[in-house]
Amino acid sequence: MASKPSPFASIINKHRPALASYEDLYKHCHANGELSTQERETAALVTSHLKKLLGGGDLDIRPNIGGHGQIAILRNGEGKTLLLRADIDALPVQEKTGLPYASTKTMTDTDGQVKPVMHACGHDFHITAMLAAAETLLASRSHWSGTIVFLFQPAEERGSGARAMIDDGLYDQSKHACPIPDVVLGQHVFPLQAGKTATRVGSVMSAADSFKITIYGSGGHGSMPHKTIDPVVIASYIVVRLQSIVSREVPPDETAVVTVGALQAGSTENIISDEAVIKINIRTVSTEWRDRILASVKRIVDAECMAGRCPKPALIEPTSRFPLTVNDESVTKVVSGGLSAYFGDEHDPNVKNVLGSEDFGLLGSSIDRPYCFWFFGGHGREYYDSMVKEGKEHEIPVNHSPFFAPVVQPTLKTGVDAMVVAALSFLGK
């Protein structure tokens, strides 16, 4: 790692707690993730840990916001107000990492189905790094001034957690009374080499719109297709036609993805079903092309249903919606400058657009406040570099993979230090 001329290096080295206990906490969180909206034990663990911190009595902890969300407010004199965010939910993924602390947990989801649970997106690192950053900032209060809100958000994976906290009165001064931040900051572990950080000014993560589309037909015997309207055939035409949106409607220099993740119909081979269901996900990086692509999807569905003689129009139901994540220029320059000074060449200030999506930005945009979101790496450097050298970069596990297994260190230390550096960049004396 490059030398650290950062003025915050000595502060962090002096006040960062020994991370062995946080490594254990991380492993516990990894093995005991909880699905979106069901993060009861995780939230209780966070609350308990915050109360036990040295100086934790100075934290104003407010739980049960928008479900299992919570904030901890640390007031430390005059200055800006920062909101630091960590998400806490896990995914319905069967873990295949083989780690000694791998999750074997199952939970009954809100749809009544028993599902495996895994922290396949790194939120266990976000929780642990935030708690260790909180301890560091508590211990180093003589070096900064202002107010910090540590926010632990549920249900990010469903794109509903930030909105749920806001709608439940997060910023309502007559309810949860979160101090209105001047700046909102967040980070995410990412499939980069551990020890690296990265961000960019402007659009950094895509918008994501997901839909369940039900195609209506008229079912019957497989031997008499002329007496039916086959929704599988109509759905198949829709799937093929959707591929032409990006290839034939979107300019080559514009980034967009249209994915059909599921096509479901029938239960046996000799019965023509009366319904087919398509589940699609759309990723865009600009408001203009988001709107145009969504309109194209509806046009294609309606046209194919008409061509196929459907007895009624398709039902298009939104299932999740993530906004564009657009980093504020001035805020991001401050954050990026702090990370560059601290991490040296390990920080990339102009990372490429990421087509993953986040609801983080709503915590700022809903109150017209600027924000910055950045990434920190999780893969062992030797492993990552060797995979790239061998032309196997596509085999490196990414977020949401059942094989996603960031190395504990230096991933955790990087996440802690990056969050503290970002906070001190605004509040440091």
Side-chain angles (χ1 to χ4, degrees), residues 132-390:
E135 184 169 355
T136 305
L137 289 162
L138 273 165
S140 62
R141 278 176 288 184
S142 62
H143 297 281
W144 61 273
S145 181
T147 297
I148 300 176
V149 179
F150 303 97
L151 184 146
F152 296 85
Q153 181 203 308
E156 183 277 333
E157 296 295 355
R158 291 191 174 179
S160 61
R163 174 54 62 190
M165 293 187 74
I166 294 163
D167 289 349
D168 189 34
L170 171 67
Y171 296 121
D172 185 341
Q173 298 309 296
S174 65
K175 193 169 185 183
H176 297 296
C178 177
I180 303 299
D182 296 296
V183 174
V184 178
L185 304 175
Q187 63 179 358
H188 206 297
V189 68
F190 201 66
L192 301 168
Q193 299 101 316
K196 286 186 173 291
T197 58
T199 191
R200 64 179 285 123
V201 171
S203 178
V204 65
M205 297 191 79
S206 74
D209 297 275
S210 295
F211 299 91
K212 174 185 175 183
I213 303 173
T214 304
I215 311 299
Y216 299 103
S218 177
H221 201 285
S223 67
M224 295 179 279
H226 59 295
K227 293 187 177 182
T228 72
I229 295 174
D230 191 342
V232 175
V233 173
I234 297 166
S236 298
Y237 277 120
I238 291 172
V239 171
V240 173
R241 178 68 71 178
L242 289 174
Q243 310 311 307
S244 70
I245 294 176
V246 173
S247 66
R248 289 298 177 269
E249 295 184 34
V250 178
D253 59 351
E254 179 73 27
T255 301
V257 179
V258 177
T259 298
V260 178
L263 171 53
Q264 302 164 338
S267 59
T268 191
E269 66 277 5
N270 66 341
I271 299 174
I272 293 175
S273 176
D274 60 358
E275 289 185 5
V277 172
I278 305 171
K279 296 180 180 180
I280 67 172
N281 177 257
I282 300 155
R283 307 270 173 167
T284 49
V285 297
S286 71
T287 300
E288 175 190 358
W289 281 100
R290 183 186 198 181
D291 293 342
R292 292 176 69 167
I293 290 171
L294 292 178
S296 293
V297 170
K298 187 176 188 307
R299 184 193 74 237
I300 288 169
V301 171
D302 288 346
E304 292 295 349
C305 287
M306 181 179 292
R309 300 179 297 120
C310 289
K312 59 181 178 178
L315 177 62
I316 302 176
E317 300 174 276
T319 52
S320 69
R321 181 179 173 89
F322 291 82
L324 280 167
T325 303
V326 183
N327 280 344
D328 177 80
E329 181 175 2
S330 61
V331 169
T332 303
K333 285 182 176 178
V334 172
V335 172
S336 218
L339 295 177
S340 289
Y342 189 84
F343 292 104
D345 293 340
E346 299 293 270
H347 177 65
D348 180 358
N350 194 30
V351 70
K352 291 182 180 180
N353 264 319
V354 173
L355 286 176
S357 302
E358 262 283 351
D359 65 353
F360 157 81
L362 290 172
L363 296 169
S365 64
S366 66
I367 50 171
D368 197 25
R369 291 298 190 271
Y371 60 81
C372 176
F373 197 71
W374 68 90
F375 308 100
F376 62 103
H379 285 304
R381 188 174 298 265
E382 183 176 339
Y383 163 76
Y384 187 98
D385 291 346
S386 66
M387 292 293 281
V388 172
K389 185 177 181 180
E390 295 170 16

Side-chain angles (χ1 to χ4, degrees), residues 79-93:
K80 292 181 181 294
T81 296
L82 300 186
L83 187 149
L84 312 181
R85 178 269 210 168
D87 39 10
I88 66 174
D89 53 329
L91 284 160
V93 173

